[in-house]
Amino acid sequence: MESGVRDGRILTRGPPLQDTSSSDGELRQTFASYDDRDLRRITTLYQPRLQQAMTEICCTISTILQQKNLISETEYQEMRRLHDIHLKTASSEFLCKLVLEKENAQAARAMWEELINFQHNPQCQKLKSLLGEIHARGSALLEEITLKALGNEDVQKDLKEAHRLHKETLRERNQRLVMNTISGREKVQSFLMEDHYTDLVVISSLREMRVVEHELLVRGRDHERWRQQVIKKELETLQHNQIFSSCFGIESRSTSVAISGVAGIGKTTLVQKIVYDWAMGKIYPQFHFIFHFKFRDLNSYSSTNIKTLILDSYPYLTGDLDTILQDPSNLLFIFDGLDEFRTTISFTDSSECNPGISLCPDPVTLCPIADIVRCLIQGKVLKGSSVLITTRPTVLKSLKKSVIHLHAEILGFNAEQRKRYFLNFYDTEAIGEEAFRYVEQNDILYTMCYNPSYCWIICCSLQNTFRVTPGEQLQRPRTITELFSNYIYNILQNHTQDHSHSQDVLLHLGDMAYQGIAERVIVFSESHLQKHSLQPSQFLSGFLMEILQTEHSLQKEVYSFFHLTIQEFFAALTRFICTPPAEVTHLLDRASSIKDGKFEIFLRFFAGLSCPWYQKLEPFFGKLPHATMCSVIDWVRKRLLRKTRNKRKLLNAFHCLYECQNKGLTQAIVTKMRNINFSKMSLSPVDCYLLAWAFEPCELIGILNLQYCQVTAESLRRLVPVLHKCTELWLLNVALGDTGMSILSEALRRPDCRIQKLVLAANYLTDACVPVLADSLCSNQCLKQLIVSQNMFTCTSVLSLNRIMLDCGSLTDIFLGSNPIGDLGVKRMLDALRHPKCNIKNLRLWNNGLTDACAEELCAALGHNTALLKLDLSRNAFTAQSVPSFVQLLQTSPSLQELQLGRNRLEDSGVQLLSEALRNTTCKLQRLGLRENNLTDLSLQDLSTALSCNQIFKYLDLCKNSFTDQSLPFLTELIRNCSHLRVITLYGNEQLTPHVKDELKALNKELQRSRPKLKVEI
C-alpha cells in the first residue's frame, strides 16, 4: 500500500534521494533489531518530535494501519475527524498515543516502517533527520534511555544546604522581568516571569548568517521564511525545557548548546526563564548547580580563574565550591551575549602547537575569559560540564568550528503571541484590541512585531494615540521613520523642559550613535561618552534614561541604546540635521556603497525624515532646511532609476521611497520602470507590501521576475493588488504550493488582468489546485503562455486543463512537462486538442511518462489541428514502434513546424521512418530534436538524404548520440545541401575525433559568407 486514498487526496512517499536505498535498508535493520519493549521505549522517547514530523502524513499512515487491521475502524474515524477539522497536531498526537497503547508493538512497528517509506517525501523533511539520528546513535540510544529511567543522582548530603541557597538566590534574581517605559511617570514595569518564554526552532547545522545585511532586514525576510519552513515540516519547534533533552540527539550530560537570535528577540529572557524554572525545580534535575554570566559583565576582566568568576557572582558558595567542582557533570554554565564580548574568541584549538596542553587546565589557573569559555566548551576544563551560550546570528560564524551539540534559533512571536502582547500592554483589552487592529493593517509594523523589543517600541509609540478623548484623532505612524519619530517625541515631550539644552545633548548622542554604526559599536563605555561631550551623570535622570540603558557591570558601567534600531534612528536624525545640503548626496552615496549593509536602516530613516511627519520633532531639533529635503528626494529618485544589477540596493531604495511617503515622487519613478527583477532574492511580506504600494499608481507593469525567490503565501498576498497589472509574471520555483495558487487566483480572475505570460513551474502544485486555476483563467482573454512544468499534476487534473485550453481563448502556449500525467492523461486531453476552439500553438509534454500506448491516438488528434506549431515529446519512453504515428502526424498536419523527440528510444530504425516523412513535400517541419536516441552513422545517412533537398528545414539537434568519424561525409552533404539549415548541434558525440570536429568547423567557416546564420555547434 503506497498511500492513503480514502479522502481522495494522495500523498506519495516521494522518490528516494540518490544513494539512499542502502540507508533505508540499514534503517529497517536497525528497527528490526529492537524487540517490542525497546521499540516502545524509543517511540516514547521520540514522541514529541514524532508528533511534529507526522502532522502532514498521519492520516495516510492511519489508513495503512487500519487496512492492516492494526487499528480499529472507530479509531481510524476519530483520526479522520481530527484531520478533517484541521487539527493535524491533535491527530498526530492521537496516532502516537494509539500505537503506544496497543498490547503489542505491531502497530508501532508498522508505523515506523511507513515513516521510513515516507522520509523522502518533500513534506516530511523532519523524518529524514530524525530517522538518521536514531540510526547513527545505535545501541547508545538504548543505554541512554536506561540511564534516564534510573533517574538523576541526588545532591550529595554535604551540598544540600548550598544547593537550596543557590536555588533560592536564583529564584529571587529571576522571578520578575523589568521593562522601561516612556510615560515619564512610571519608570519601569515589572511583572512575573511565569508563562513568559519563546518557542525555538532547531536547525540541523550551523547556519552562516550573512553579515552583509542588517539584522532587522535579515529577520524581516528570514523570519517569514523560517516560519514557512516550519510549516513545511523542515524544522522542529523546541520548548525551553527540551534544550538539554536526550531526544534531540544530544547527551543529557556534557552538552554544549548555542542559541542565536537578533537583538531584542528574547535570548536573555529565555535564559532567565531557564534559570528560574530550574530554581523552581521544574526542569533539568540533572544539573545541581547553574552558573549564569553575561558577556558584557565579563568585559571588565583581564585575567581571572573559574573559581573567582563564580564567587564574584555567588559569594555564598565560598565554603562549598571546591566540592561542587569535583563533579562537573552536575554543572551547567550559561554565557549570555557572545556578540557583546569585546574579545574575539577563537573556538579552534589554539594550543595545537602544544598538544595536550590547555590554556585553562583547571579552575584555579589565571587566564583570560576567552580561554575559560573556549576550554569549557571544548571540555578541556571541568570535563563533563554543560555549556549554554547565546549570541546574535552575526557572531554565529565564530562558533562554526566549536563542539556544539545543538544549535537553536529564537523565531520570536507568532500571530497569537503578538496579539496577546498588545492586550497585556495597554490599560484595557479594548485599547489593546484597537491598537493591534491598527498594526495588523500596516504590514511594516505588523511584521516588526515578531520581535518582542519592536512590539514594545510600537506599543509605546502608539500609546498616546489610543488614549485620545472621544472625537479627537491623532495621526498614527505608517512607516518606521514615523514610528521612531513618534517614539522619541513621546519621550522628549514627557521629560524635557529645556529644549535648547536637550538639543545639544541629543546631537552629541546622535554623533556617538553614528560613529557606533560605522564602527559596529553597540555597547559604549564612559570613554565613548566623554569623547562626544556627554557626561555619565546626564544618564541618571531625565529623558536619556529612556533612550540609553545603563548596565551595571561587575567593575564599571557601560551604556547602550535600548535597541540597535534606536541607535540608527538617532544617527540618521543627527546627520540629517547637521549635514550641509550640498553634502547630502555625497553622504548618502558613501553610506550606500558600504557593502556589509550596516547603513541600510540608516538610509531608510534618512529618507523618511524628509516626510512632513518630522515637524513633530522641530521643537526639540529645530527646523530643517528645505534644500536638505530636496537633496534626499533627488537622491532616492536617481537611485531607483539608475540601472543596477545589485537587487539588494534596489530593494532598499524602494524602502527609502516608502519612507518618504511622497506620492508625486513615487508616481514619477515607477511609471518609468517597465520591468522589475528580484529573482533569487528572499522577499518578506514587508518587501512585497512595499512593491505593491509603489506600483499601485501604474496602469501597466512589464515583467515581474520573482524566479527562485523565497516568497511565502503571506508575501504573495501582499502583491495581489498589483499582480494583474503585469504583462509577464515569472514565479518559477518559489514554493507556491496549492495555498499560494489559491491566493494568486485572486489576481488572475480579475476582469482587468493583463498577464500574458504566467510561469508557475516547479511550485509543488497538485491536482487539488487545478480547478481553482481553471476557474481563474477561463474568463481571461489576455493570457497567451501558461508554464506549469515540474509540478505534481496527474491524469486527474487533465479535465480542468482542458477547460483552460478551450475557454481561455487567447492561450496559445501550454507547458506541462515533467508532470506525471501518463498515457491516461494524454488520452483525456485528446478531446480538447481536436476541438475547433483549441488555439494551442505550442504544446510541451516532455517527461510526462508517455509510452507507445498513447502515440497513435495523440498523433491522430493533432493531425488535423490547424493551430499547432510546436510539439515537445522529449524525455518520454517512445520507441521505434511510435514512429509510424509521428510520420502520419508530419504528413497530415497543416501547421506543425517543430517536433522534439529527444531522450526517447527511437534508434536508427525509427529515424529511418522519420526520414521518409521529411522527404515529403507536404511536411512543414522546420525543427527536429533527436538528442540521446542511441543513433548511429546509419541515421545520419538517412537524414542527409532526406534533408538535402528540403528547402524549409532550419534546426536539427543530434547531441549525445553515437556518431563516429564515418559520418563525416553524410554530415558534410547535409550541411551543404540543406540550404536553409541554420543550426545543427552535435555536442556530446564522444566518438567524433578532434580531426573530424575541426573539419566541420572549417566547413562552417567556409559557408559563412553565403549563409551567415549557419552554426555548426560541436
Side-chain angles (χ1 to χ4, degrees):
M1 180 72 183
E2 287 297 314
S3 60
V5 294
R6 289 203 175 195
D7 59 352
R9 297 187 296 271
I10 299 175
L11 179 59
T12 61
R13 288 166 175 164
L17 301 177
Q18 186 176 5
D19 296 327
T20 56
S21 56
S22 60
S23 63
D24 284 1
E26 290 169 358
L27 275 169
R28 289 188 174 89
Q29 289 179 8
T30 298
F31 280 95
S33 68
Y34 299 140
D35 60 26
D36 286 359
R37 176 173 171 272
D38 289 340
L39 189 67
R40 284 180 180 278
R41 295 163 71 199
I42 289 171
T43 306
T44 301
L45 177 68
Y46 279 90
Q47 185 175 353
R49 294 176 66 188
L50 272 175
Q51 289 168 182
Q52 287 187 49
M54 294 196 305
T55 52
E56 297 300 318
I57 59 172
C58 61
C59 191
T60 305
I61 290 180
S62 65
T63 300
I64 296 170
L65 295 182
Q66 196 275 334
Q67 290 172 347
K68 292 181 177 181
N69 295 318
L70 296 174
I71 64 174
S72 68
E73 178 67 22
T74 302
E75 291 166 336
Y76 170 75
Q77 290 301 333
E78 176 61 15
M79 276 287 308
R80 282 301 313 276
R81 185 188 70 80
L82 293 171
H83 184 273
D84 290 345
I85 61 176
H86 305 294
L87 295 178
K88 291 185 177 180
T89 301
S91 65
S92 183
E93 292 174 2
F94 181 77
L95 180 59
C96 283
K97 182 180 178 183
L98 197 60
V99 298
L100 285 170
E101 288 177 347
K102 296 295 178 182
E103 290 184 9
N104 56 49
Q106 281 183 288
R109 200 172 293 279
M111 180 184 73
W112 282 107
E113 176 67 25
E114 292 305 320
L115 293 178
I116 294 171
N117 292 335
F118 273 100
Q119 66 170 318
H120 306 298
N121 186 287
Q123 297 186 57
C124 307
Q125 292 300 303
K126 289 183 182 181
L127 286 176
K128 183 176 288 293
S129 59
L130 188 149
L131 291 168
E133 180 183 302
I134 292 174
H135 175 67
R137 295 170 76 183
S139 59
L141 180 58
L142 294 174
E143 294 172 8
E144 209 171 303
I145 295 173
T146 302
L147 287 173
K148 186 176 180 180
L150 294 174
N152 298 286
E153 299 176 12
D154 289 334
V155 179
Q156 61 189 73
K157 189 174 182 180
D158 55 344
L159 290 178
K160 284 188 179 293
E161 179 57 27
H163 177 256
R164 183 198 63 76
L165 179 58
H166 190 57
K167 279 195 166 186
E168 184 179 307
T169 301
L170 292 183
R171 184 164 58 247
E172 291 176 358
R173 289 183 183 179
N174 295 281
Q175 65 183 345
R176 302 193 72 84
L177 287 172
V178 176
M179 186 172 291
N180 292 71
T181 71
I182 62 171
S183 65
R185 299 182 301 274
E186 186 183 11
K187 299 297 183 186
V188 296
Q189 290 180 337
S190 174
F191 50 89
L192 292 174
M193 166 60 70
E194 294 291 348
D195 300 324
H196 285 79
Y197 64 89
T198 307
D199 285 343
L200 303 178
V201 169
V202 176
I203 54 180
S204 58
S205 60
L206 179 60
R207 183 168 63 94
E208 292 187 19
M209 176 61 64
R210 290 183 299 163
V211 184
V212 297
E213 295 178 341
H214 183 285
E215 286 182 339
L216 168 60
L217 306 186
V218 170
R219 272 346 203 218
R221 292 186 300 278
D222 271 8
H223 179 260
E224 298 302 330
R225 177 164 61 88
W226 286 79
R227 281 281 180 200
Q228 188 72 4
Q229 284 181 314
V230 173
I231 295 170
K232 286 183 180 179
K233 310 304 171 232
E234 294 175 13
L235 303 172
E236 297 183 75
T237 56
L238 173 67
Q239 301 298 319
H240 76 293
N241 59 348
Q242 295 175 306
I243 293 172
F244 291 93
S245 167
S246 60
C247 75
F248 274 86
I250 59 177
E251 302 292 335
S252 57
R253 308 271 179 126
S254 186
T255 299
S256 54
V257 175
I259 296 178
S260 68
V262 299
I265 197 68
K267 299 184 296 295
T268 298
T269 302
L270 175 70
V271 166
Q272 187 176 343
K273 173 67 173 173
I274 290 171
V275 174
Y276 177 72
D277 278 4
W278 175 83
M280 292 292 290
K282 295 180 179 180
I283 60 174
Y284 306 137
Q286 68 266 37
F287 299 126
H288 296 173
F289 290 88
I290 290 180
F291 302 121
H292 174 206
F293 306 98
K294 294 183 178 180
F295 272 107
R296 63 170 53 187
D297 294 341
L298 302 181
N299 282 323
S300 59
Y301 287 92
S302 53
S303 291
T304 187
N305 60 42
I306 294 176
K307 283 188 65 175
T308 301
L309 193 64
I310 294 173
L311 292 176
D312 282 348
S313 293
Y314 311 102
Y316 52 83
L317 296 177
T318 301
D320 299 296
L321 189 55
D322 288 336
T323 307
I324 291 171
L325 297 180
Q326 286 176 5
D327 189 356
S329 65
N330 294 322
L331 307 180
L332 170 61
F333 289 86
I334 298 177
F335 295 97
D336 186 20
L338 174 62
D339 49 285
E340 297 178 355
F341 193 47
R342 292 196 193 120
T343 304
T344 300
I345 303 179
S346 174
F347 287 96
T348 54
D349 194 347
S350 58
S351 62
E352 288 177 352
C353 55
N354 297 300
I357 299 177
S358 173
L359 297 176
C360 180
D362 54 58
V364 295
T365 300
L366 291 175
C367 54
I369 292 291
D371 289 341
I372 291 175
V373 175
R374 178 173 55 247
C375 289
L376 281 169
I377 288 179
Q378 292 176 340
K380 294 188 174 181
V381 64
L382 295 179
K383 187 173 183 179
S385 61
S386 296
V387 180
L388 169 61
I389 191 166
T390 72
T391 181
R392 292 187 186 181
T394 47
V395 188
L396 263 180
K397 196 172 183 180
S398 65
L399 285 166
K400 185 174 182 180
K401 295 184 179 180
S402 59
V403 182
I404 301 295
H405 298 98
L406 178 68
H407 290 276
E409 180 171 2
I410 303 180
L411 284 181
F413 288 154
N414 59 28
E416 183 181 341
Q417 290 167 327
R418 297 178 198 189
K419 184 174 183 179
R420 177 50 50 191
Y421 188 99
F422 274 73
L423 297 181
N424 289 339
F425 182 91
Y426 292 98
D427 294 339
T428 67
E429 285 202 358
I431 296 176
E433 284 272 10
E434 185 184 1
F436 184 72
R437 277 197 302 272
Y438 172 76
V439 170
E440 261 189 320
Q441 294 166 5
N442 185 307
D443 288 285
I444 300 288
L445 304 185
Y446 182 71
T447 301
M448 288 174 68
C449 285
Y450 80 89
N451 186 316
S453 282
Y454 286 127
C455 259
W456 175 70
I457 290 172
I458 290 170
C459 286
C460 288
S461 181
L462 296 176
Q463 205 163 12
N464 290 339
T465 65
F466 285 96
R467 287 179 175 169
V468 297
T469 57
E472 184 181 1
Q473 180 64 50
L474 294 180
Q475 188 176 1
R476 290 165 181 166
R478 299 157 294 177
T479 69
I480 60 170
T481 309
E482 292 176 0
L483 175 74
F484 279 84
S485 295
N486 204 47
Y487 174 75
I488 298 303
Y489 172 80
N490 287 341
I491 291 174
L492 299 178
Q493 185 73 9
N494 285 320
H495 287 279
T496 305
Q497 303 299 324
D498 184 357
H499 290 179
S500 60
H501 171 70
S502 67
Q503 181 175 349
D504 290 339
V505 174
L506 288 168
L507 292 178
H508 290 312
L509 187 65
D511 285 336
M512 186 177 75
Y514 180 78
Q515 184 177 346
I517 293 170
E519 299 174 1
R520 287 197 173 277
V521 176
I522 59 174
V523 179
F524 302 92
S525 64
E526 289 188 9
S527 62
H528 287 106
L529 270 58
Q530 292 167 359
K531 181 179 178 181
H532 293 277
S533 303
L534 295 167
Q535 299 300 321
S537 60
Q538 293 173 314
F539 297 92
L540 299 179
S541 62
F543 65 90
L544 288 181
M545 287 184 63
E546 318 305 342
I547 297 170
L548 276 185
Q549 57 185 344
T550 304
E551 290 288 330
H552 300 279
S553 179
L554 292 175
Q555 297 182 20
K556 61 180 179 180
E557 292 183 336
V558 293
Y559 308 87
S560 64
F561 289 85
F562 273 111
H563 198 278
L564 173 61
T565 317
I566 297 175
Q567 179 179 340
E568 289 167 310
F569 178 79
F570 268 98
L573 183 59
T574 303
R575 293 300 95 199
F576 198 99
I577 294 168
C578 299
T579 304
E583 298 177 16
V584 168
T585 299
H586 176 69
L587 170 69
L588 296 175
D589 283 340
R590 190 172 71 247
S592 178
S593 67
I594 303 298
K595 293 183 179 180
D596 64 4
K598 60 190 176 187
F599 280 107
E600 287 195 4
I601 294 293
F602 169 87
L603 288 169
R604 294 185 191 181
F605 280 139
F606 206 102
L609 287 168
S610 65
C611 177
W613 188 279
Y614 172 79
Q615 295 171 1
K616 291 186 69 172
L617 295 177
E618 286 184 351
F620 307 100
F621 294 97
K623 192 173 181 64
L624 290 180
H626 182 69
T628 297
M629 297 182 182
C630 293
S631 296
V632 172
I633 291 172
D634 189 55
W635 181 85
V636 173
R637 180 182 61 80
K638 290 179 179 178
R639 174 65 56 177
L640 277 165
L641 293 179
R642 181 187 305 168
K643 290 185 178 180
T644 177
R645 293 183 179 180
N646 191 323
K647 299 167 189 174
R648 176 79 239 137
K649 285 188 177 181
L650 178 63
L651 183 60
N652 199 49
F654 271 107
H655 278 270
C656 291
L657 180 65
Y658 180 78
E659 292 298 316
C660 290
Q661 289 291 302
N662 188 319
K663 291 184 178 180
L665 173 65
T666 302
Q667 187 157 6
I669 290 172
V670 297
T671 51
K672 295 179 181 179
M673 299 180 71
R674 302 302 303 158
N675 301 326
I676 307 108
N677 182 3
F678 286 113
S679 59
K680 298 183 180 180
M681 289 193 65
S682 180
L683 298 178
S684 74
V686 168
D687 296 329
C688 293
Y689 169 78
L690 292 178
L691 292 175
W693 172 86
F695 285 95
E696 191 275 334
C698 293
E699 291 186 7
L700 185 67
I701 303 170
I703 300 172
L704 177 57
N705 184 354
L706 302 179
Q707 296 183 112
Y708 301 99
C709 285
Q710 295 290 339
V711 179
T712 65
E714 187 176 344
S715 299
L716 186 66
R717 188 174 286 110
R718 301 305 186 267
L719 285 170
V720 163
V722 296
L723 291 181
H724 68 284
K725 301 180 180 185
C726 304
T727 55
E728 296 187 17
L729 179 57
W730 296 8
L731 294 173
L732 169 68
N733 200 356
V734 298
L736 198 63
D738 293 346
T739 302
M741 187 65 251
S742 178
I743 296 169
L744 179 61
S745 67
E746 297 174 25
L748 299 177
R749 65 165 56 99
R750 288 180 60 127
D752 57 344
C753 181
R754 303 286 191 89
I755 298 175
Q756 298 178 21
K757 180 177 180 178
L758 180 59
V759 182
L760 298 175
N763 272 300
Y764 303 105
L765 304 180
T766 72
D767 295 336
C769 78
V770 183
V772 177
L773 178 62
D775 290 341
S776 304
L777 294 178
C778 282
S779 59
N780 188 306
Q781 298 305 312
C782 286
L783 187 68
K784 296 180 179 179
Q785 192 172 54
L786 176 62
I787 301 175
V788 288
S789 313
Q790 297 173 275
N791 284 295
M792 295 184 281
F793 300 150
T794 70
C795 60
T796 304
S797 66
V798 171
L799 295 180
S800 293
L801 293 171
N802 287 348
R803 287 176 53 209
I804 296 174
M805 287 192 283
L806 295 179
D807 294 342
C808 184
S810 57
L811 185 67
T812 58
D813 297 5
I814 184 165
F815 290 29
L816 295 170
S818 200
N819 282 289
I821 62 174
D823 293 338
L824 179 58
V826 164
K827 291 179 180 181
R828 290 179 176 178
M829 198 180 293
L830 299 182
D831 287 340
L833 294 176
R834 63 167 65 98
H835 199 285
K837 284 178 61 179
C838 181
N839 294 321
I840 299 300
K841 297 180 179 179
N842 188 354
L843 178 61
R844 303 285 173 172
L845 295 173
W846 55 272
N847 193 27
N848 287 125
L850 308 185
T851 71
D852 296 332
C854 74
E856 183 176 357
E857 293 180 73
L858 174 63
C859 292
L862 294 175
H864 301 287
N865 186 308
T866 59
L868 190 68
L869 299 176
K870 301 176 182 179
L871 177 62
D872 187 349
L873 297 173
S874 56
R875 295 181 65 182
N876 284 295
F878 295 120
T879 69
Q881 183 180 333
S882 297
V883 175
S885 299
F886 298 145
V887 169
Q888 184 68 23
L889 173 63
L890 294 177
Q891 291 175 341
T892 58
S893 173
S895 56
L896 188 64
Q897 297 178 4
E898 177 180 336
L899 179 60
Q900 297 293 338
L901 294 171
R903 297 187 184 182
N904 282 286
R905 300 194 295 273
L906 304 186
E907 300 183 332
D908 292 337
S909 59
V911 172
Q912 183 180 18
L913 292 173
L914 275 177
S915 299
E916 293 296 327
L918 294 173
R919 287 193 186 96
N920 195 317
T921 55
T922 62
C923 178
K924 302 294 191 296
L925 202 68
Q926 298 180 20
R927 293 172 179 256
L928 179 61
L930 293 171
R931 67 168 54 203
E932 290 188 64
N933 267 288
N934 197 26
L935 307 183
T936 71
D937 299 338
L938 292 174
S939 292
L940 269 178
Q941 184 176 4
D942 293 326
L943 287 169
S944 175
T945 304
L947 294 174
S948 289
C949 57
N950 191 307
Q951 298 303 305
I952 61 172
F953 196 83
K954 296 179 180 179
Y955 299 90
L956 181 61
D957 181 0
L958 296 171
C959 293
K960 295 186 178 181
N961 282 295
S962 302
F963 304 137
T964 70
D965 289 358
Q966 302 301 314
S967 65
L968 180 60
F970 310 127
L971 285 168
T972 302
E973 180 185 6
L974 189 158
I975 294 168
R976 283 188 181 278
N977 296 336
C978 188
S979 58
H980 284 73
L981 184 68
R982 291 187 181 180
V983 179
I984 179 171
T985 55
L986 294 162
Y987 297 121
N989 285 282
E990 303 299 337
Q991 297 181 55
L992 293 178
T993 63
H995 171 70
V996 169
K997 292 179 181 179
D998 290 340
E999 288 282 333
L1000 291 170
K1001 290 175 183 177
L1003 176 62
N1004 191 175
K1005 188 175 181 180
E1006 174 192 334
L1007 296 173
Q1008 280 294 303
R1009 182 170 297 180
S1010 59
R1011 295 162 61 184
K1013 294 182 178 180
L1014 176 65
K1015 289 184 180 179
V1016 180
E1017 299 179 343
I1018 190 167

